[in-house]
């Protein structure tokens, strides 16, 4: 409850994390955030060891600034020193300094697990129809990698294959099918609907040996955990068709009401028409 300049550092940390992640906080771990950035870099062809280091450093600074204990938060000059150090690294890489470049590249390679495409799954939504989309996993390493795709939602998804072992330099296509839905989802965009766990394994491991315990963070193996979002896409023509159908149904109900009222009126004097008369005759 005590205000100090360290309170300003906390606010700075909030701003940094929101700029880097697009959200108020890192819900799971920074590895997922870094994977999303790497996905963007690969799509744009701008992936370099330095930009990876820069984003990782920004996440580190943002989290340090939000330490619950104010004394553990950095001073502004500490942050300035870190940023200045990154600028020095940038100059060294631009000058093709092999030692520094190799040192930074090693950090990138340590996290080089499965490539996942896409990170946001788009399902073409239609009422009472099955929907499906595909994920492609790419193993660009020289190691065997086991993976497990876990549904984190109560919705009825079917994933094939849900788990497997990928040989070095291989690809695997995964089809995810959502059972027919009778109602339009309340949330057309759902965050963290799936999680993909992966870890390097020894050659010769059996398929039956792939269990959830392999992906627990306390294990000795490095586990890569990536969350996937889901978006339900409703096409324009379908929306228009639904609205037209709904409008026709309302018109039909209105016409039925009009016909019913006219039948009741025929043969009656105006003064005989009362609410009770209509209800009883109905």
């Amino acid at each position: 409850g005590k205000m100090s300049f360290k309170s300003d550092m906390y606010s700075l940390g909030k701003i940094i994390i929101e700029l880097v992640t697009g959200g108020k906080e890192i819900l799971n771990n920074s590895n997922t955030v870094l994977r999303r950035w790497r996905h963007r870099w690969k799509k744009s062809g701008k992936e370099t060891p330095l930009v990876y280091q820069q984003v990782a450093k920004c996440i580190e600074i943002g989290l340090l600034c939000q330490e619950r204990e104010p004394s553990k938060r950095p001073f502004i000059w500490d942050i300035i020193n870190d940023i200045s150090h990154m600028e020095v690294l940038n100059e060294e890489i631009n000058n093709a300094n092999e030692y520094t470049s190799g040192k930074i590249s090693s950090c990138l390679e340590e996290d080089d697990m499965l490539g996942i495409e896409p990170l946001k799954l788009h399902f073409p939504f239609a009422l009472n129809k099955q929907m499906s989309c595909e994920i492609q996993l790419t193993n660009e390493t020289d190691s065997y990698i086991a993976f497990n795709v876990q549904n984190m939602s109560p919705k009825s998804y079917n994933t094939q294959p849900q788990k497997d072992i990928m040989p070095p330099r291989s690809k695997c296509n995964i089809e995810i099918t959502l059972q027919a839905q009778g109602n339009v989802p309340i949330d057309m965009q759902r965050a963290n609907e799936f999680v993909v766990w992966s870890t390097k394994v020894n050659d010769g491991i059996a398929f039956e040996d792939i269990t959830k315990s392999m992906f627990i963070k306390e294990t000795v193996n490095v586990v890569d955990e990536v969350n996937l979002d889901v978006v339900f896409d409703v096409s324009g023509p379908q929306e228009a068709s639904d609205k037209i159908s709904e409008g026709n149904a309302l018109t039909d109900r209105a016409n039925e009401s009009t016909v019913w009222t006219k039948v009741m009126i025929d043969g009656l004097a105006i003064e005989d028409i009362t609410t009770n008369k209509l209800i009883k005759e109905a």
Side-chain angles (χ1 to χ4, degrees):
K2 185 178 179 180
M3 295 295 295
S4 70
F5 64 91
K6 287 299 183 90
S7 300
D8 293 336
M9 299 310 298
Y10 183 88
S11 300
L12 176 62
K14 282 284 189 181
I15 293 172
I16 292 173
I17 292 300
E18 187 166 357
L19 287 173
V20 174
T21 67
K24 298 292 185 182
E25 57 184 346
I26 297 178
L27 298 178
N28 297 297
N29 56 62
S30 60
N31 189 41
T32 298
V33 177
L34 290 170
R35 289 299 300 270
R36 289 187 175 276
W37 274 99
R38 290 182 63 189
H39 177 72
R40 297 188 188 102
W41 295 327
K42 286 182 178 180
K43 296 279 282 186
S44 63
K46 296 179 179 179
E47 183 182 29
T48 67
L50 180 65
V51 294
Y52 182 86
Q53 284 280 75
Q54 288 173 334
V55 173
K57 176 56 70 175
C58 286
I59 293 174
E60 179 186 341
I61 292 172
L63 293 177
L64 282 174
C65 288
Q66 295 181 67
E67 282 284 353
R68 184 176 294 274
E69 180 59 43
S71 62
K72 294 182 179 179
R73 298 170 193 166
F75 293 96
I76 189 63
W77 50 81
D78 294 328
I79 297 176
I80 293 173
N81 286 337
D82 286 338
I83 294 174
S84 298
H85 179 64
M86 293 303 298
E87 290 178 350
V88 171
L89 291 178
N90 188 27
E91 287 294 327
E92 292 178 347
I93 288 180
N94 288 337
N95 294 330
N97 185 302
E98 293 183 2
Y99 172 75
T100 305
S101 179
K103 186 177 180 180
I104 297 177
S105 296
S106 64
C107 296
L108 187 61
E109 290 167 1
E110 286 174 2
D111 184 53
D112 194 12
M113 301 291 282
L114 287 182
I116 303 174
E117 174 73 27
L119 296 177
K120 183 173 288 187
L121 311 182
H122 287 263
F123 286 85
F125 186 83
L127 286 175
N128 303 314
K129 292 183 179 179
Q130 281 192 347
M131 298 154 273
S132 63
C133 70
E134 198 172 82
I135 306 172
Q136 185 175 83
L137 304 183
T138 305
N139 179 8
E140 296 181 347
T141 73
D142 294 321
S143 304
Y144 285 82
I145 296 181
F147 71 84
N148 188 350
V149 181
Q150 190 69 35
N151 173 20
M152 308 303 289
S153 164
K155 287 189 174 297
S156 303
Y157 291 101
N158 181 38
T159 305
Q160 293 295 334
Q162 182 180 354
K163 61 180 183 178
D164 207 344
I165 301 170
M166 295 184 62
R169 310 293 171 181
S170 64
K171 293 184 178 182
C172 178
N173 291 329
I174 299 174
E175 185 175 22
I176 300 179
T177 303
L178 175 62
Q179 300 304 313
Q181 302 291 300
N183 299 307
V184 176
I186 298 176
D187 299 322
M188 299 302 284
Q189 297 191 32
R190 303 173 66 89
N192 304 328
E193 192 85 334
F194 290 89
V195 60
V196 180
W197 290 312
S198 61
T199 186
K200 293 180 180 179
V201 294
N202 296 325
D203 182 12
I205 187 172
F207 176 84
E208 295 76 17
D209 295 330
I210 304 176
T211 61
K212 285 186 178 181
S213 61
M214 292 178 59
F215 306 100
I216 297 176
K217 291 297 182 182
E218 286 72 17
T219 59
V220 294
N221 296 329
V222 176
V223 175
D224 194 33
E225 179 179 307
V226 179
N227 294 94
L228 306 179
D229 300 337
V230 164
V231 177
F232 296 113
D233 295 323
V234 180
S235 62
Q238 179 180 340
E239 287 182 319
S241 175
D242 291 343
K243 289 181 180 179
I244 292 173
S245 299
E246 183 180 353
N248 290 339
L250 290 173
T251 302
D252 291 342
R253 286 197 292 271
N255 290 338
E256 290 172 1
S257 177
T258 302
V259 172
W260 171 77
T261 304
K262 184 176 180 182
V263 170
M264 291 298 301
I265 291 175
D266 285 345
L268 290 176
I270 294 297
E271 57 270 16
D272 294 332
I273 302 175
T274 64
T275 302
N276 290 336
K277 180 73 174 175
L278 292 173
I279 294 174
K280 289 178 181 178
E281 292 295 327

